[in-house]
Amino acid sequence: MKNISESLNISPPITHRLLTTLKMDGLVFQDADSKKYSLGTVFIDYANKIITDVPCLDNRFTID
């Protein structure tokens, strides 16, 4: 959490509250053993939906 806090330039207590909220919503996951954070399944579901629903992201349009 210290790395996240420093990277975002926000205090550790605020970082902890934000991560707790994101965990409750399924947007991030915290490994029980390592305590490291990763993207949660809800975030990945949102990303997949965007990729499939936004036409310019499905390679039909290319920039030369």
Side-chain angles (χ1 to χ4, degrees):
M1 186 176 64
K2 181 179 177 185
N3 290 341
I4 296 170
S5 178
E6 290 174 354
S7 295
L8 296 174
N9 197 29
I10 56 177
S11 70
I14 292 173
T15 303
H16 181 264
R17 285 193 300 262
L18 290 171
L19 287 169
T20 299
T21 300
L22 293 172
K23 282 192 321 186
M24 290 184 338
D25 290 342
L27 292 167
V28 296
F29 169 80
Q30 185 178 23
D31 184 87
D33 296 326
S34 71
K35 305 296 184 200
K36 291 186 177 185
Y37 292 92
S38 60
L39 295 177
T41 56
V42 173
F43 183 91
I44 294 168
D45 290 342
Y46 284 142
N48 286 332
K49 182 160 179 54
I50 290 169
I51 289 169
T52 58
D53 290 353
V54 177
C56 65
L57 296 178
D58 68 4
N59 294 325
R60 285 188 288 172
F61 302 100
T62 58
I63 299 173
D64 295 325

